[in-house]
Amino acid sequence: MKKTHWITVVLLLGLLLACSSNSEDDTTSEIPKAVDKTANLLGTGDSANDLLSNDNFTKLKIEIAYVDGFRPTQEAMDGFMAFLRERTFKDAIEVVFTELESPGEEDLTLDEIADLESENRTVYNDGDTLAVYIYFGDAPAEGDDLEEGLVTLGAVYRNTSMIIHEVTVRRLADQSIFIFDADVENATLNHEFGHLFGLVNLGTEPVNDHEDIQRDENGEPVLDEEGMTMGNSHCDVEGCLMRAELQFGGPSNKGKSKYAKSETGLKPGCILSGKSMLKLLESQAAKGPMVDPPNLDSECLLDLASNGGR
């Protein structure tokens, strides 16, 4: 009897220890893994090679976060995906859509846009997957002037972050009988992603010099302290997707739309103006029934190829 009693005690103790161990394991497994966001909070163009090549990341995951009622058109997304597959070596590209409530703002500063990203972004780099966040908003950029065509269609402000002012895109497209929402969306997406690719001289070093220069309100070159001209991260080749005119709405940047000065030091890599984009798309529309966005010129293509792209 004593032998049987001790065997029973040992079995019970073993069962209790096993349950205790399993309970601890279950508790540990329920603790969410901390997300490291630092790799997605770098400067514009800092992830150019990672986006273009498969050296560090073989997959690309894009979160399209949009305010209810302002989701981009499927036509624009199809054109955007074609652009990415044509320029990068990423065979695995996943797009996830996140519907958001309106922030209820009349316009948005760059800091406010970054705050909205912090609150709503769900995808970050993970293993061999590189994540990009694109926000389609229902509010224009602060300082827009629709009547003058000096409006901001979109901007990049980090290495994997982009804003598309969808409300402005639609208002601009409504001004032309030849242009549709999808045309402006596609061209804006491609242009801004060109900056995430590091164009022009924004993370991807130009093989040959083709960067345009900064100009004042009179169209004259802006000089630095040493009397040298300064680049503006846009191409100087006529008709290129990354053309400088698309940033400022013309040779002069007088009255250009811009975000208010960031209190956190955040700087947009590009502020895409609507006036010249509309003019360019209308010239494309005059050539046929389908409006294709501008292409990258040979110099920009050479730069991308030199940094790991196709």
Side-chain angles (χ1 to χ4, degrees):
M1 292 294 293
K2 289 184 178 180
K3 183 177 181 181
T4 303
H5 174 74
W6 281 111
I7 292 176
T8 302
V9 171
V10 170
L11 289 174
L12 287 173
L13 286 173
L15 182 60
L16 288 172
L17 288 173
C19 289
S20 175
S21 177
N22 289 337
S23 177
E24 291 178 0
D25 291 343
D26 291 342
T27 302
T28 302
S29 64
E30 291 175 0
I31 299 176
K33 185 177 72 171
V35 177
D36 184 3
K37 303 178 181 180
T38 55
N40 297 102
L41 301 176
L42 306 178
T44 301
D46 285 352
S47 293
N49 179 262
D50 287 336
L51 287 165
L52 292 164
S53 73
N54 283 339
D55 293 345
N56 298 315
F57 299 93
T58 58
K59 300 177 182 178
L60 179 61
K61 188 171 185 178
I62 302 175
E63 180 174 17
I64 303 294
Y66 64 95
V67 173
D68 182 18
F70 291 86
R71 177 170 173 152
T73 62
Q74 188 58 50
E75 295 87 346
M77 291 303 302
D78 290 343
F80 177 47
M81 289 299 104
F83 174 73
L84 295 181
R85 296 185 189 283
E86 187 177 15
R87 300 276 65 93
T88 79
F89 282 95
K90 296 288 189 295
D91 293 323
I93 302 178
E94 179 185 358
V95 178
V96 296
F97 290 89
T98 303
E99 183 177 301
L100 303 172
E101 294 183 359
S102 172
E105 300 289 344
E106 292 186 1
D107 51 37
L108 290 171
T109 66
L110 203 60
D111 286 334
E112 289 170 337
I113 292 167
D115 288 341
L116 288 171
E117 178 183 1
S118 298
E119 295 170 9
N120 299 307
R121 180 168 180 165
T122 65
V123 299
Y124 294 90
N125 294 0
D126 184 16
D128 62 354
T129 299
L130 178 61
V132 173
Y133 178 85
I134 305 177
Y135 176 64
F136 284 76
D138 66 340
E142 188 174 59
D144 274 5
D145 187 340
L146 185 62
E147 292 184 0
E148 293 294 327
L150 299 171
V151 295
T152 299
L153 298 177
V156 288
Y157 52 96
R158 289 190 181 122
N159 60 323
T160 62
S161 302
M162 183 191 306
I163 167 73
I164 305 294
H165 292 281
E166 179 66 13
V167 64
T168 305
V169 166
R170 296 183 183 183
R171 290 172 180 171
L172 191 72
D174 285 344
Q175 293 184 349
S176 173
I177 61 174
F178 304 105
I179 304 302
F180 296 93
D181 295 348
D183 301 322
V184 185
E185 288 170 350
N186 191 187
T188 302
L189 281 166
N190 291 4
H191 177 93
E192 295 301 345
F193 220 92
H195 286 301
L196 294 188
F197 286 154
L199 297 173
V200 173
N201 200 23
L202 199 62
T204 292
E205 184 176 353
V207 176
N208 303 305
D209 183 22
H210 61 102
E211 183 181 11
D212 208 344
I213 61 174
Q214 295 184 31
R215 299 180 182 276
D216 62 21
E217 61 182 19
N218 298 314
E220 297 298 323
V222 175
L223 305 180
D224 62 17
E225 296 179 353
E226 298 179 355
M228 305 294 292
T229 58
M230 298 181 291
N232 64 10
S233 302
H234 285 77
C235 186
D236 63 4
V237 178
E238 187 73 29
C240 178
L241 173 67
M242 307 309 295
R243 176 73 171 169
E245 287 183 354
L246 295 180
Q247 181 186 25
F248 296 141
S252 169
N253 62 359
K254 182 179 181 180
K256 69 178 185 294
S257 173
K258 60 182 180 180
Y259 296 100
K261 184 177 181 181
S262 169
E263 296 180 358
T264 61
L266 202 61
K267 296 180 180 179
C270 162
I271 301 173
L272 184 60
S273 172
K275 187 175 182 179
S276 287
M277 177 63 80
L278 185 62
K279 182 179 179 181
L280 181 59
L281 288 174
E282 285 181 331
S283 69
Q284 296 284 98
K287 299 177 182 178
M290 299 297 294
V291 182
D292 293 324
N295 294 316
L296 292 171
D297 73 285
S298 59
E299 292 295 343
C300 283
L301 292 177
L302 186 62
D303 294 345
L304 295 187
S306 72
N307 197 24
R310 290 186 187 275

